[in-house]
Amino acid sequence: MRLKKTIALCLSMLTAFSFVACGVSEGKNDDNSSLQVNTGKAYETSANNDVETGKALSTSARLRKKYGSYWTPQTDYKTMPIGAYNGLPPSGSLGFDYDYEQVLSDYNELGVNYLFGLYNSANQNLEHEKTTLSLCDEYNISYLSKWNALHWETESSLQNQKAILEELTKYESFMGPIIVDEPGKMAFQGMATARDAFEKVIGANANDYLYHVNLLPNWAGCEPLYNFQAKNPESDWDVYKNYTYNQYLTDYMQIYNPQVLSYDFYPMVGAEKELKDGYFENLSVIREKALEANIPFWTFVQTCAWDFNQRLPSKEELLWNVNTCLAYGAKGIEYFCGVEPWNSTSAEHFSASLFYKDGSHVPVVYDSALLANKQIQAIDEVLMCSKSKGVIFVGDTPALSNGTNKTMTPSTRDVLKSYNELTSASAFHALIGCFYYEGKTALYVVNNSVSEADAVNLQFNKAVQGTYTQGATKKTFSGDTLRLTLEAGDGVLVVLD
């Protein structure tokens, strides 16, 4: 997929399968105060000071370090970023014909709090970009600005465009630039150089912005993993023929030093009810790399169809896509796309999204995203302020294709059998994300099916009390068991007192 694709703010049932207790137990004083954190310049080990300058960290920097989170300029650290790619394309051209303010109002209803530019590049159409930012200011939505070939820029070339940067930074909604989408390893150094140049040209407030990069999925071959988006790609096949996804991620973290680890994996393929394997493994390795650097990971969620065998998701599939990512510890959701992309003469013939090109809703997608986002808004304070400790698979994973016995392969590196008070669980198909939340146990329980309802039974080692939030509604419970009934793809947050 080639088209695709915050920022500091001051503080303002029947049992089909069961497992036994032999997992992880977290002490109640467990925190991440000894973790290293990547803040864009260097790893820090001091709780309150920058390791390079010795200066005290800002409140927002300390919170990013404490929670491994990142948020948009117009929200706070308790609010999960929810974005939409191709969020506000230029109406009146390329087949787009919609009312900006109506779509922005709908984004507010949806709970989308930041947008990605795509067809409108700041260094090619500044006036349109200023109009977009002004509208985003009005609707309290942040905006990541497209900058044509930014990953090839240098300090010298950006100095010539300093006036553009000065205009962009006047707007509260300006979240930062999109450096590049889906780069290969040979593009990493250019990205790092461009980001450094951007920071130098902006000056004192450079750390207030996100320099967004989105990575390829694990199924991409060695050639794109090594060469895609590079100004000077490597031509010798022998150099990269054995290049792996793990090395790709390692190189990216070392060379680019990201503030957020973003990637895409679009699992809904084929004519009907087919899923792409490797999904859970990709989530797992991304989760691992993000935790190592103490930064959040954000993930793109499929909301449109295109000719690379990708189809429009059903309600159940979209909810499953969002909720399984949350169970693995995602701290940001990125919808691909917001407005239906332009169908160019390329091989990518896109259809639908959250909105059609005329601004009308794509009902199944819009309504499903609304449900998903309402749940996120009800639980994001917990997830944004938690540390992922692993996941538990119970029963089956989703079928790879309709009517077959082949199922998606679960990940292995981060799998637990129990967690703190939770000693066992039973269900036909469930995924449980386990979190450390301010000295408490938090569990994100997902029906790991895109077609069938399920009952999930949680067994605790003693009588407990707490809350569970389902469908954006919070309820209390007590006892040594909790039974949850979930529709396909549904998610429930459980927090023990």
Side-chain angles (χ1 to χ4, degrees):
M1 171 94 203
R2 302 297 176 243
L3 175 70
K4 303 169 318 307
K5 16 250 171 289
T6 6
I7 330 267
L9 175 72
C10 292
L11 248 182
S12 356
M13 177 175 102
L14 294 172
T15 298
F17 181 86
S18 64
F19 59 85
V20 297
C22 56
V24 172
S25 179
E26 294 296 332
K28 291 304 179 183
N29 293 321
D30 179 33
D31 61 30
N32 59 1
S33 59
S34 64
L35 288 177
Q36 292 184 322
V37 55
N38 182 334
T39 59
K41 285 296 184 182
Y43 284 100
E44 294 173 341
T45 54
S46 166
N48 298 306
N49 296 90
D50 186 284
V51 70
E52 280 190 345
T53 66
K55 294 181 180 179
L57 295 171
S58 67
T59 298
S60 55
R62 290 198 300 272
L63 288 168
R64 287 199 298 267
K65 178 178 180 179
K66 179 177 181 180
Y67 296 120
S69 293
Y70 207 91
W71 51 97
T72 73
Q74 292 149 297
T75 62
D76 65 11
Y77 72 100
K78 299 176 182 179
T79 303
M80 184 173 290
I82 302 175
Y85 198 74
N86 194 32
L88 211 65
S91 187
S93 65
L94 301 176
F96 299 110
D97 185 15
Y98 66 96
D99 183 271
Y100 289 118
E101 297 203 41
Q102 182 59 58
V103 168
L104 285 165
S105 177
D106 289 343
Y107 278 132
N108 282 160
E109 178 189 51
L110 273 171
V112 169
N113 50 37
Y114 77 100
L115 305 175
F116 293 80
L118 177 57
Y119 299 109
N120 38 304
S121 297
N123 55 342
Q124 293 182 331
N125 190 345
L126 178 60
E127 290 307 309
H128 180 271
E129 204 75 345
K130 289 165 63 177
T131 298
T132 300
L133 288 164
S134 179
L135 286 165
C136 286
D137 277 359
E138 182 180 347
Y139 284 85
N140 203 38
I141 295 175
S142 299
Y143 185 76
L144 283 165
S145 180
K146 171 74 179 298
W147 194 284
N148 192 48
L150 180 55
H151 60 299
W152 295 351
E153 297 279 8
T154 63
E155 185 175 356
S156 175
S157 64
L158 281 173
Q159 281 288 354
N160 296 330
Q161 304 176 79
K162 187 174 182 178
I164 296 176
L165 301 180
E166 290 173 344
E167 287 294 320
L168 298 180
T169 56
K170 291 177 181 178
Y171 297 90
E172 182 184 3
S173 57
F174 178 60
M175 190 171 171
I178 300 170
I179 300 293
V180 69
D181 181 45
E182 296 185 328
K185 188 257 186 184
M186 289 297 290
F188 292 168
Q189 189 55 61
M191 290 154 40
T193 298
R195 172 180 165 185
D196 189 54
F198 203 103
E199 291 175 332
K200 288 178 180 177
V201 172
I202 289 179
N205 297 321
N207 288 333
D208 291 348
Y209 303 104
L210 176 66
Y211 304 89
H212 190 279
V213 171
N214 179 65
L215 296 183
L216 290 157
N218 60 0
W219 53 263
C222 59
E223 201 282 332
L225 289 176
Y226 205 83
N227 278 330
F228 193 57
Q229 302 283 25
K231 190 173 185 178
N232 298 300
E234 173 60 59
S235 59
D236 188 346
W237 164 255
D238 288 334
V239 171
Y240 58 80
K241 65 181 180 181
N242 295 317
Y243 195 63
T244 66
Y245 193 68
N246 188 68
Q247 188 61 52
Y248 170 72
L249 294 179
T250 298
D251 288 343
Y252 173 68
M253 301 300 283
Q254 291 177 348
I255 297 170
Y256 187 68
N257 212 1
Q259 300 146 293
V260 167
L261 181 53
S262 171
Y263 82 107
D264 58 61
F265 187 115
Y266 301 114
M268 275 67 81
V269 297
E272 183 181 359
K273 300 297 182 185
E274 293 183 23
L275 299 171
K276 183 187 288 290
D277 208 3
Y279 174 79
F280 291 118
E281 177 59 26
N282 211 152
L283 271 169
S284 177
V285 67
I286 290 288
R287 170 191 173 275
E288 179 181 66
K289 296 295 185 181
L291 285 172
E292 286 175 359
N294 195 32
I295 60 173
F297 80 83
W298 297 356
T299 180
F300 273 92
V301 167
Q302 182 175 341
T303 56
C304 67
W306 60 95
D307 277 359
F308 292 141
N309 201 36
Q310 308 290 149
R311 60 180 169 79
L312 203 64
S314 67
K315 168 190 170 183
E316 295 80 8
E317 289 169 333
L318 189 146
L319 292 174
W320 169 85
N321 197 173
V322 171
N323 286 321
T324 50
C325 292
L326 296 179
Y328 268 84
K331 294 192 176 188
I333 296 296
E334 305 164 300
Y335 288 114
F336 182 74
C337 282
V339 178
E340 178 182 27
W342 173 53
N343 282 323
S344 67
T345 56
S346 70
E348 299 172 309
H349 295 286
F350 292 89
S351 61
S353 276
L354 296 171
F355 302 94
Y356 289 113
K357 286 188 279 291
D358 65 1
S360 61
H361 300 174
V362 180
V364 65
V365 182
Y366 186 98
D367 295 344
S368 302
L370 182 61
L371 287 175
N373 295 348
K374 284 185 179 297
Q375 171 72 354
I376 290 174
Q377 291 173 316
I379 64 175
D380 56 355
E381 178 178 349
V382 174
L383 297 182
M384 289 290 284
C385 299
S386 292
K387 179 182 175 183
S388 171
K389 307 302 291 187
V391 296
I392 298 169
F393 284 89
V394 187
D396 294 331
T397 56
L400 288 172
S401 60
N402 200 21
T404 73
N405 293 323
K406 294 182 179 180
T407 59
M408 300 183 79
T409 305
S411 58
T412 56
R413 60 168 54 81
D414 40 26
V415 174
L416 307 175
K417 292 185 177 180
S418 64
Y419 179 67
N420 285 351
E421 298 92 337
L422 180 66
T423 57
S424 65
S426 60
F428 284 114
H429 27 67
L431 174 69
I432 304 172
C434 303
F435 298 88
Y436 173 85
Y437 170 56
E438 304 283 27
K440 300 178 181 180
T441 294
L443 308 167
Y444 199 64
V445 183
V446 180
N447 181 349
N448 198 12
S449 169
V450 297
S451 59
E452 298 177 346
D454 203 357
V456 182
N457 297 288
L458 305 179
Q459 181 68 51
F460 304 106
N461 60 7
K462 59 182 179 181
V464 298
Q465 59 184 12
T467 62
Y468 65 95
T469 303
Q470 182 174 13
T473 300
K474 181 187 288 188
K475 297 181 180 180
T476 61
F477 77 96
S478 61
D480 61 0
T481 61
L482 176 62
R483 180 180 174 87
L484 301 167
T485 302
L486 294 86
E487 296 300 319
D490 200 5
V492 182
L493 178 69
V494 178
V495 180
L496 304 187
D497 293 336

